[in-house]
Amino acid sequence: MPRLLPLFLCLLLPALPARADWDQVAARGTLRALVVAVPGETEFLDLRPGRPPGFEQELLQSFARQHKLRLELVAAEGWDRLVPDLLAGRGDLVAGRFTDTPARREAVVFSVPVFPTRAVVVSRAPRAPVTSAEELRRLKVGLVGGTSLAELLARAGVPPGQVDASIPSGGAFAALRAGRVEAVVEEVSGAILASRADPSLRLGLFLGPPGAYAWGLRKDDVELRRRLNEHLDAVRRSPAWSRLVVKYFGESALDVLKKARGE
């Protein structure tokens, strides 16, 4: 009977999550990236077969090839599930427009930056680009409700009565084209893509400090993070990063992103 006790205790204990650090990833032969698939936003990740994979997916694929791994994209049910799913062992990292924020750093660690991000004010011709906070305060400004962008406008001194925060997700540029607002605030990656489709859009003043999309990992996955950082740093020092930016965001994106980083 005593020999059965350890087995009995094991059955009572909850299953431990699969570890993600390097030895386990290499033994499994698969790198699992937790992502949120957003319809119509495929420049970073595209889960549809036969389509260009997207900027981040190509970076992950090149890392997987280098280490003879298979890349597996694991779809989370929503943005709020990414960190819990990571901590529960359902993936090895979080990818796909995952912003490095102080709040998220309380639960996870981040890789080096994957892609710059920053809020930018966008107007539409014949109006010139908005280049100062003083000018911005005189305009009717639109943004998607429920985001942190409203706080940036408040810090810039834009009166609440000048802000339309009732715009639905994905509708900011439509509101600008319809004349509902005179300017909108969006993340720079979305603004770059919108300006490719509508050359009359004008990117102007940046709001808030430069930020970054990065890959999120569990805090004790030290070796996996080191290898991912090493790979990202190598890509950034090579022509490959610029080629990927141009492939998915256009030639002008390189200059815009340089400005967004404050360079």
Side-chain angles (χ1 to χ4, degrees):
M1 184 65 179
R3 293 179 182 177
L4 298 177
L5 186 58
L7 176 60
F8 176 72
L9 291 176
C10 287
L11 292 174
L12 291 179
L13 292 172
L16 293 175
R19 296 306 310 133
D21 210 10
W22 185 248
D23 289 345
Q24 287 72 29
V25 171
R28 191 194 314 127
T30 302
L31 180 71
R32 303 167 303 163
L34 286 158
V35 301
V36 173
V38 181
E41 297 183 9
T42 57
E43 286 74 23
F44 287 94
L45 292 162
D46 196 340
L47 278 61
R48 297 173 295 175
R51 301 283 296 181
F55 181 87
E56 281 193 60
Q57 192 169 338
E58 287 209 31
L59 289 175
L60 288 167
Q61 286 173 340
S62 63
F63 176 83
R65 283 195 302 270
Q66 178 183 342
H67 295 285
K68 298 180 172 57
L69 300 171
R70 182 176 68 87
L71 176 64
E72 178 185 350
L73 299 183
V74 181
E77 292 183 0
W79 294 101
D80 60 340
R81 290 302 313 163
L82 287 170
V83 170
D85 284 357
L86 177 69
L87 298 180
R90 298 187 181 97
D92 304 323
L93 72 154
V94 174
R97 293 182 61 206
F98 192 58
T99 306
D100 182 346
T101 67
R104 285 173 172 164
R105 280 177 177 258
E106 293 181 7
V108 301
V109 293
F110 284 88
S111 69
V112 296
V114 172
F115 194 89
T117 185
R118 196 174 185 184
V120 63
V121 178
V122 184
S123 56
R124 191 167 186 264
R127 183 179 298 278
V130 178
T131 57
S132 69
E134 181 181 2
E135 181 183 359
L136 182 64
R137 295 182 195 114
R138 296 195 298 266
L139 302 179
K140 186 71 174 181
V141 186
L143 52 82
V144 174
T147 69
S148 60
L149 299 176
E151 184 179 345
L152 294 178
L153 285 178
R155 290 178 184 173
V158 179
Q162 294 290 104
V163 178
D164 181 350
S166 64
I167 296 173
S169 179
F173 298 112
L176 185 60
R177 287 191 294 270
R180 175 176 164 181
V181 293
E182 298 168 290
V184 296
V185 181
E186 273 283 354
E187 289 193 2
V188 66
S189 59
I192 291 171
L193 293 171
S195 66
R196 292 184 72 188
D198 182 356
S200 67
L201 296 180
R202 302 287 184 261
L203 277 63
L205 179 70
F206 288 102
L207 296 178
Y213 299 140
W215 295 335
L217 299 99
R218 287 188 284 265
K219 292 184 177 182
D220 54 353
D221 290 340
V222 177
E223 180 62 15
L224 175 58
R225 179 172 178 259
R226 186 191 70 78
R227 289 176 183 254
L228 288 167
N229 284 347
E230 187 178 75
H231 179 71
L232 288 170
D233 285 338
V235 173
R236 287 297 296 265
R237 290 194 301 268
S238 76
W241 194 85
S242 294
R243 285 199 299 267
L244 283 176
V245 170
V246 171
K247 177 179 179 179
Y248 288 103
F249 299 93
E251 193 79 38
S252 63
L254 293 171
D255 287 336
V256 175
L257 294 177
K258 185 176 181 179
K259 293 175 183 176
R261 292 194 298 267
E263 298 176 1

